[in-house]
Amino acid sequence: MYPGNAVAGNAVIGRHPLNAMLNMQNLIKGGRSMFMSLDDNVMMRQVYDTHTPDGRAINVKPLFLIVEDIMASSNMSLPLDAANSHGSQMDEKTHQADAVTMLETLSRLIDLISCEISIKCLSGSDGHVNTVSILQMVSNYPWDAKLGLVLAAFAFSYGEFWLLAQLYSSNQLARSMAILKLVPLIMEHSGTFRRRFDALDSLLGSVMDLTRAIIALEELPSMYIAKDVPPLSTAMESVPTAVYWSIRSLIACATFITYLTIMGHEYMLTELSWELSTLDQRIKQIHEHFKKSLDICYQHIDEKMRAAAYESLRHLFDMNHVDNMKVLRSLIYPRDDIQPLVEGSSKRRVHLDVLRRKNVLLLISGLDISADELSILEQIYSESRMHGTKMESLYELVWIPIVDLSHVLNYRMQKHTSTLPEDHSLHSSNSKTMSQFPSKNMMDPKSSSAIFRQHWTDPMQKRFDELTSTMPWYSVYHPSIIDQAVVRLVKERWHFRRRPILVVLDPQGKELSRNSLHMIWIWGTAAFPFTSSREESLWRGETWRLELLVSGMDPVIYNNWVNEGKFIILYGGEDIEWIRRFTNTARAVAQAAGVQLEMAYVGKSTKREMVRKSMATITVEKLSYCWQDPTMIWFFWARLESMLFSKIQVKKTDDQLDPLMKEIKKLLSYDKSGSWALLCKGSDIVASGHAQTVLSAFSEYDSWKENVPLRGFDVAFKEYHDKLHVANMPCCRFEFLTTAGRIPDAMTCPECLGHMEKYSTFLCCHDVNALLLPY
């Protein structure tokens, strides 16, 4: 019989032993038709009629944890020492103060429910009638409490049965009690009906999973999701159905055990096992529905939590702070359990305190930051450290690697009930087995780290290690510690896409510049403290001259050619035939005019491999001077593009009346159109033009050579070239990568000053590693 109520059960059997047996067999035989024929809607109306809550509520989770311990130790295949060992690990749960306090008021009700289940198992009534009767005993409680109470009542007797099964061979008292309940006989023939016990275990496991999901649903944080608002309200509508079928399944399991202990294994019938299997399938289906509902709820909560974290972080920049620690902790790592930074030279781990009350430059990029960008930045950084300790005391540079998980966070719930693996590479303290209740795990940083690890590959780790090994400045210890709210901030506030940006914070954490990388490329550390006012001041001191284009890049051009007052031509493009004709023609004209002319090839902003081939040909054929390091060519065009963005950033718009802006835009447009050239006299820029006009101007030297003695070579060339340019004005075009951050909303043409049309273009230059290189 159902072991928790031996006296009551034996009294019933003593009065009507044959009737009880017949009723039980009839119930089992008729269970299939009754189970399938009764309309679910009719059943649920009867179930809802039992629900008359009066405001009383209990915390179901402590009660469920006790039941969970009982179920975990109640198993046919679990050895005695394993059961005892498991129980010792659960002492901490079972002695929780809230559980003990709650049971002081509920133990009588739980015992009454247990007795009622025993009687119903022998009554001959169908499962639905028995379930409704049990529900009436807990009518005043919420749905989750109803299930928790019935589950506790079942576990009390179910655990007693398995306790006797585990102890009867070693304890005389247990053996005597077990004999009365036929336990030795059942265990002796356990192999005969092992499959039926497996069906029982499977159903109970499904009920436990479903109960766990219902409790998780009840424990969802109300500050992020209200019970009367979808998607939670939609999920809550299914709770009564889930509770009904769970209690009905528990009664079926109790009937199984009761029938076994009354009549022994020889009376086991196939129909009873079929009912357990059928209920198991239904419970599993309901659980799948709940998991999907929970996934939607978790996604909703996750979005709300991320939004709240983002807003908190955003408002942090509107506040005044004593120092920069609060801002840096929010951006990099808020806790003190690890040292989140790696120092550049020693590669030792350090705390954020090394940045306290310093100007901090945040280098924000993905793992695809190019070798060219790093090479130039390392050169500028190292030069600033070579001039004593002045610059060292002014600012520190920190690399923040960004790994954007926004495209996978909507699917993060697939691992909510799993145990996170221990990972010492991401946390200094050991990971612990987490509760199987997902609502407790949602804010846990280890949960985010687990999601991160799912998408962090060995090649990514290798690339990260390569980058940090060469960086002379501070770097974040691992990308996993950067919260996704920070990723959203750098994307939305600082317009980070994929190209690196350099955000400047003052010693109090105040934002001085949302991207000073343009200033760094143009002026280096002379742009300190990298504020908008400093940027405006630097531009006020600039004119359109050769030093602006190549300052600090090449001593040959700046120290030799410029100082000697030579005529200088910078030219670019990848058409080697045009390069041959242009350089030979220009050299011949200079010789005929009797002027000293030097030429330097500066390549092209794209088509890297074609530029390499052009450089090789120019060098072999001695067509002109050219930079041998491709990084210099990249830097030339990166600086020019930075000038455009910096100008727009200062003016807040595309200023068509700014002469510097006009000339910068011309060179960028020529680069996109093909080949081009720019003529200088010393540091003064005389004229610039695209391939056709500059080549024609030199080729047609006879048409303007008479003006050279009178007006000078530079003026004569400019006047003739300008005539050709007006007669043959090419289309102007600009191309901005969508990964470059902020893109101008509108542009004016540098030639006609008209508003330029905007097009969407897809381009592939077939460069090696094109996706990883900015040019």
Side-chain angles (χ1 to χ4, degrees):
M1 60 154 282
Y2 197 57
N5 300 281
V7 175
N10 286 333
V12 173
I13 295 174
R15 289 193 299 268
H16 308 287
L18 182 59
N19 289 339
M21 183 184 299
L22 293 175
N23 287 338
M24 181 71 71
Q25 291 174 335
N26 289 333
L27 172 60
I28 295 172
K29 291 179 179 179
R32 179 179 302 190
S33 60
M34 181 63 70
F35 186 77
M36 300 298 293
S37 63
L38 192 57
D39 182 75
D40 279 359
N41 292 329
V42 174
M43 290 193 304
M44 289 312 300
R45 280 197 296 270
Q46 295 174 359
V47 169
Y48 278 112
D49 288 342
T50 68
H51 187 55
T52 56
D54 58 5
R56 71 183 74 181
I58 63 172
N59 184 4
V60 180
K61 187 169 180 180
L63 191 63
F64 178 81
L65 290 175
I66 297 173
V67 173
E68 193 174 42
D69 297 341
I70 294 172
M71 293 299 184
S73 301
S74 302
N75 192 294
M76 177 183 293
S77 59
L78 191 66
L80 178 60
D81 55 349
N84 292 336
S85 174
H86 179 83
S88 65
Q89 296 175 7
M90 300 300 159
D91 287 345
E92 184 178 352
K93 292 181 181 179
T94 56
H95 286 87
Q96 292 180 14
D98 50 355
V100 174
T101 302
M102 179 178 59
L103 288 172
E104 287 177 356
T105 58
L106 294 176
S107 59
R108 181 175 180 275
L109 177 59
I110 292 173
D111 191 57
L112 288 174
I113 296 171
S114 181
C115 293
E116 186 66 17
I117 291 176
S118 297
I119 295 172
K120 294 300 180 184
C121 291
L122 298 168
S123 66
S125 301
D126 70 87
H128 171 68
V129 172
N130 291 338
T131 304
V132 171
S133 176
I134 297 299
L135 284 170
Q136 288 172 342
M137 298 183 67
V138 290
S139 60
N140 301 129
Y141 290 90
W143 289 105
D144 63 322
K146 296 178 195 290
L147 179 54
L149 291 167
V150 176
L151 191 59
F154 170 83
F156 177 71
S157 298
Y158 183 73
E160 184 183 29
F161 173 83
W162 285 110
L163 184 63
L164 293 176
Q166 293 170 4
L167 295 178
Y168 80 90
S169 61
S170 59
N171 184 283
Q172 183 58 45
L173 177 60
R175 179 172 180 81
S176 299
M177 294 180 64
I179 291 173
L180 292 176
K181 299 176 184 295
L182 303 182
V183 171
L185 184 62
I186 294 171
M187 293 295 103
E188 182 181 348
H189 296 85
S190 59
T192 306
F193 41 83
R194 178 59 184 266
R195 291 180 59 186
R196 289 164 182 163
F197 264 110
D198 288 343
L200 175 71
D201 291 339
S202 179
L203 177 55
L204 288 175
S206 298
V207 171
M208 293 292 288
D209 289 339
L210 181 54
T211 306
R212 191 176 293 112
I214 294 172
I215 295 174
L217 202 64
E218 292 285 347
E219 289 191 335
L220 293 178
S222 58
M223 64 182 298
Y224 296 114
I225 186 168
K227 289 187 177 182
D228 58 347
V229 176
L232 182 53
S233 61
T234 305
M236 294 298 291
E237 292 174 357
S238 302
V239 171
T241 302
V243 170
Y244 166 80
W245 284 108
S246 295
I247 294 176
R248 182 162 173 172
S249 297
L250 292 173
I251 294 174
C253 293
T255 302
F256 178 95
I257 297 295
T258 300
Y259 192 73
L260 180 65
T261 56
I262 291 174
M263 287 171 272
H265 72 281
E266 66 269 18
Y267 292 101
M268 291 298 296
L269 300 176
T270 304
E271 286 81 354
L272 186 55
S273 297
W274 174 90
E275 183 180 3
L276 296 180
S277 299
T278 305
L279 284 167
D280 191 21
Q281 290 302 314
R282 181 179 283 263
I283 294 294
K284 281 183 167 62
Q285 291 173 358
I286 297 174
H287 183 228
E288 283 300 316
H289 168 75
F290 264 84
K291 285 200 297 184
K292 293 177 182 178
S293 298
L294 275 170
D295 285 351
I296 297 172
C297 291
Y298 284 132
Q299 180 179 341
H300 176 89
I301 294 171
D302 198 49
E303 291 172 356
K304 292 289 186 180
M305 291 171 63
R306 280 186 281 150
Y310 170 76
E311 287 301 315
S312 177
L313 188 60
R314 188 173 64 87
H315 287 306
L316 198 63
F317 287 93
D318 300 327
M319 302 166 58
N320 294 322
H321 306 283
V322 176
D323 58 26
N324 54 6
M325 282 295 95
K326 188 171 184 178
V327 172
L328 291 175
R329 287 179 184 275
S330 298
L331 289 174
I332 298 175
Y333 194 70
R335 304 197 304 276
D336 295 322
D337 57 336
I338 65 170
Q339 295 173 308
L341 297 181
V342 175
E343 197 273 329
S345 57
S346 65
K347 302 305 176 186
R348 62 186 178 89
R349 297 273 295 277
V350 295
H351 285 290
L352 285 172
D353 287 341
V354 297
L355 306 175
R356 188 184 297 274
R357 292 194 176 93
K358 291 186 178 181
N359 291 282
V360 178
L361 278 59
L362 303 176
L363 175 61
I364 299 172
S365 79
L367 300 181
D368 54 356
I369 184 171
S370 73
D372 292 331
E373 289 167 314
L374 282 178
S375 175
I376 297 298
L377 194 57
E378 287 173 12
Q379 180 179 338
I380 295 172
Y381 180 84
S382 298
E383 287 177 357
S384 72
R385 261 53 183 170
M386 289 173 59
H387 303 293
T389 59
K390 181 180 178 181
M391 293 305 296
E392 291 182 24
S393 64
L394 293 179
Y395 76 89
E396 294 290 352
L397 185 61
V398 181
W399 179 45
I400 298 183
I402 295 297
V403 176
D404 187 3
L405 296 178
S406 59
H407 60 293
V408 301
L409 281 175
N410 289 341
Y411 306 99
R412 63 182 297 180
M413 306 320 302
Q414 61 183 339
K415 296 295 184 181
H416 269 303
T417 58
S418 66
T419 298
L420 298 182
E422 190 172 322
D423 189 344
H424 296 282
S425 67
L426 301 182
H427 298 279
S428 60
S429 59
N430 293 349
S431 301
K432 295 181 180 180
T433 302
M434 301 176 64
S435 167
Q436 295 185 19
F437 289 89
S439 58
K440 289 296 184 182
N441 300 338
M442 299 180 60
M443 295 287 288
D444 197 306
K446 297 176 185 177
S447 181
S448 298
S449 295
I451 297 168
F452 183 94
R453 288 193 293 273
Q454 294 173 19
H455 299 86
W456 184 252
T457 63
D458 290 340
M460 294 169 71
Q461 182 65 47
K462 181 180 179 181
R463 172 63 175 166
F464 175 76
D465 292 338
E466 290 173 350
L467 291 172
T468 54
S469 65
T470 61
M471 290 181 175
W473 47 75
Y474 291 105
S475 59
V476 169
Y477 148 64
H478 198 275
S480 61
I481 70 174
I482 302 299
D483 190 85
Q484 289 302 301
V486 177
V487 175
R488 180 183 173 188
L489 180 86
V490 302
K491 289 169 62 179
E492 296 187 12
R493 184 181 181 90
W494 297 331
H495 305 284
F496 170 75
R497 295 299 177 266
R498 201 175 69 198
R499 297 281 291 273
I501 61 174
L502 199 65
V503 178
V504 182
L505 304 178
D506 73 1
Q508 286 72 45
K510 183 179 179 181
E511 184 183 83
L512 296 182
S513 172
R514 297 188 176 185
N515 187 9
S516 66
L517 198 59
H518 302 315
M519 299 173 67
I520 292 286
W521 286 163
I522 301 169
W523 297 290
T525 53
F528 183 86
F530 313 110
T531 60
S532 298
S533 59
R534 178 59 177 163
E535 191 172 19
E536 293 176 11
S537 174
L538 288 168
W539 275 123
R540 283 195 296 268
E542 290 290 357
T543 57
W544 185 238
R545 55 200 174 96
L546 189 59
E547 286 95 324
L548 178 63
L549 294 179
V550 297
S551 178
M553 293 179 60
D554 190 339
V556 172
I557 295 176
Y558 188 72
N559 295 336
N560 298 343
W561 299 353
V562 171
N563 290 341
E564 294 174 9
K566 293 182 178 181
F567 284 95
I568 303 168
I569 289 178
L570 300 184
Y571 70 96
E574 82 285 356
D575 185 347
I576 192 62
E577 291 302 323
W578 180 88
I579 291 173
R580 285 194 181 100
R581 286 171 27 200
F582 174 75
T583 53
N584 290 328
T585 302
R587 187 176 293 107
V589 169
Q591 186 175 2
V595 297
Q596 289 184 306
L597 177 68
E598 301 288 352
M599 291 179 285
Y601 176 67
V602 296
K604 189 176 179 65
S605 62
T606 57
K607 300 185 179 180
R608 191 180 185 103
E609 288 304 313
M610 296 184 69
V611 169
R612 289 180 188 273
K613 293 178 181 178
S614 297
M615 291 168 58
T617 302
I618 291 169
T619 302
V620 170
E621 298 181 11
K622 299 181 179 180
L623 300 177
S624 75
Y625 174 75
C626 70
W627 291 319
Q628 297 303 308
D629 185 358
T631 300
M632 296 295 291
I633 293 179
W634 170 85
F635 190 42
F636 175 86
W637 290 106
R639 289 184 74 249
L640 199 61
E641 187 178 85
S642 290
M643 292 177 196
L644 174 65
F645 281 111
S646 177
K647 273 286 186 179
I648 294 175
Q649 187 169 280
V650 168
K651 295 289 186 177
K652 310 302 181 186
T653 184
D654 177 17
D655 187 355
Q656 59 184 353
L657 300 179
D658 186 341
L660 266 177
M661 175 74 108
K662 180 179 179 181
E663 296 300 330
I664 292 168
K665 288 163 64 177
K666 277 185 181 181
L667 287 191
L668 290 172
S669 177
Y670 295 158
D671 173 64
K672 300 304 178 186
S673 300
S675 301
W676 60 278
L678 177 146
L679 175 66
C680 304
K681 182 180 181 181
S683 64
D684 297 327
I685 298 177
V686 176
S688 63
H690 58 86
Q692 184 175 345
T693 58
V694 293
L695 179 57
S696 296
F698 280 108
S699 299
E700 298 168 14
Y701 173 66
D702 290 341
S703 299
W704 53 276
K705 65 180 181 180
E706 66 273 8
N707 293 327
V708 172
L710 300 175
R711 304 181 61 79
F713 181 81
D714 53 335
V715 176
F717 175 84
K718 175 176 173 54
E719 289 177 346
Y720 190 80
H721 175 266
D722 287 350
K723 292 179 182 178
L724 295 177
H725 186 75
V726 171
N728 187 15
M729 189 179 296
C731 295
C732 290
R733 58 185 290 207
F734 300 97
E735 294 173 358
F736 300 101
L737 289 173
T738 57
T739 58
R742 302 191 69 172
I743 298 174
D745 295 327
M747 293 284 287
T748 56
C749 176
E751 303 287 359
C752 68
L753 303 183
H755 290 287
M756 303 182 73
E757 296 183 4
K758 183 184 290 188
Y759 292 85
S760 295
T761 303
F762 296 89
L763 180 66
C764 180
C765 298
H766 313 298
D767 289 341
V768 176
N769 298 325
L771 293 178
L772 298 180
L773 298 172
Y775 104 91

